[in-house]
Amino acid sequence: MRGSNGAAEARIPRLSGGAAVWAAGLVLPVGAPPLARGALLTDEGRLIALGPADELLSCVPKSARRDFGRAILIPGLVDAHTHLELAALRLPPAPMADWIVSLVRETRAWPSSLFLASAKVGAAGALAAGVTCVGDITASGESPAAIADAGLRGVAFHEVLGLEGDRAGEVLERKLSALGRHHAYRGALPGQPAAGLSPHAPYTASPELYRAVLRACRERGLPAATHLAESPEEARFLREGGGDFERMHRELGSPAGLFRPPGCSPAEHLDREGALGGLRLAVHCNQTGPADWERLRRAGAAVCLCPGSARFFGHPLADAAGMRWAGLSLCLGTDSRASSPSCSLLGEAAALGAAGFGAEELLRLCTLAGAEALGLGGEGVGQLRAEGPADFAAVEPPGGVPLSAEALFHPESRVVCTVTGGGVRFTAG
Ligand SMILES: [Zn+2]
């Protein structure tokens, strides 16, 4: 190790030839105080130390120093809800039932190679937005390979659907064999994503299927996620049946006749059916109120909000401030590019600013909160801390905007570099 500062050397272990220092005008570690003119020392994929730039820069040769100047270094963003494999699909805004019919008709004929290519487009878009970790939903089973090859981390939730309760076991078995392929994949650094399961939504998955999936998740130690209470159409379909969602099922040839409206909210339905406890992540939850929040809180499920997707469909957005006061764990997702014009997680967070969330809190929602919701918080994902993964992004605010947490959410701030496992995965042109 080279270095002229004795204090730094005393704390820093022996470094490999691949050690690097990344400096910037401000470092926001999340969970630790901000560092003005700070730096990160990384080696072998891990973050070794954070400290004053002047102190750390001298620890490595000049060729291993990267100074972002007037930029902010933050933990890599955690996008807790994506469908990377749909990134290449563009659908115009439409009522949700019509949009789902278009999506299913379009992708039914896709070969697996197209899902993989689309997922790679999605992974590249995520990196360009400063994202280093995703909670991804995959119906095709192709996205884990794209996630690993891009150097992202996260969880790939394999999606299951089916209204036929007596076929729940069969549907699950088929998906579990796809999981075998997931586990067999060996990708590039930092490694393959963890596997999870996802019953799609209460209007497409029977209570039997939910329970079978949650049982399998318990037995295998896998996380589970579901879409929940996303739209007024869903709330109506569960309350009284009929409407746009029944028409959607008919148009897609799915057995809508098997669906018996439970006459309650989507969250209450899952709760009554014993299909809420054990869920790691409930996505959207726009159509929920205090009684549902209490159900979700008791179940230990985090709520992933997707403001951009709600705007695309014209859905009323969840009462995020109410959820926070109710003690729910919140995080953020961009959903699919097929239902959201942007994969900017910072933009999603900015949409919550009006609900009274401060900038530090918004940064936490985009980072550590997502990592915790995905079960990766203990590994140091979503924070800049010694011995955690060297996953971070550099964000440059426009000239004249002071460096601060608020600046991250300025509409003209841009991600200039994204690093995972100590390797540069994206640099702005
Ligand atoms: Zn989704």
Side-chain angles (χ1 to χ4, degrees), residues 81-83 86 99 137 159 200 227 230 283-284 306 309 334-336 339:
H81 184 62
T82 59
H83 299 254
L86 300 178
W99 181 89
I137 306 280
E159 189 168 68
H200 172 253
H227 296 90
E230 179 175 3
V283 181
H284 298 298
C306 305
S309 187
T334 56
D335 213 344
S336 78
S339 71

Side-chain angles (χ1 to χ4, degrees), residues 202-226:
Y203 58 91
T204 53
S206 66
E208 291 87 346
L209 185 53
Y210 267 95
R211 285 193 293 270
V213 165
L214 291 173
R215 201 177 315 119
C217 284
R218 262 195 314 277
E219 288 167 4
R220 293 157 192 257
L222 304 176
T226 193

Side-chain angles (χ1 to χ4, degrees), residues 81-142:
H81 184 62
T82 59
H83 299 254
L84 296 178
E85 67 192 17
L86 300 178
L89 182 64
R90 293 288 178 278
L91 293 172
M96 196 170 180
D98 298 330
W99 181 89
I100 292 174
V101 170
S102 301
L103 173 77
V104 173
R105 285 185 177 154
E106 171 69 27
T107 55
R108 246 177 200 163
W110 280 19
S112 53
S113 57
L114 189 46
F115 279 106
L116 178 60
S118 184
K120 289 187 174 198
V121 170
L127 288 169
V131 170
T132 59
C133 177
V134 292
D136 190 57
I137 306 280
T138 178
S140 71
E142 297 297 326

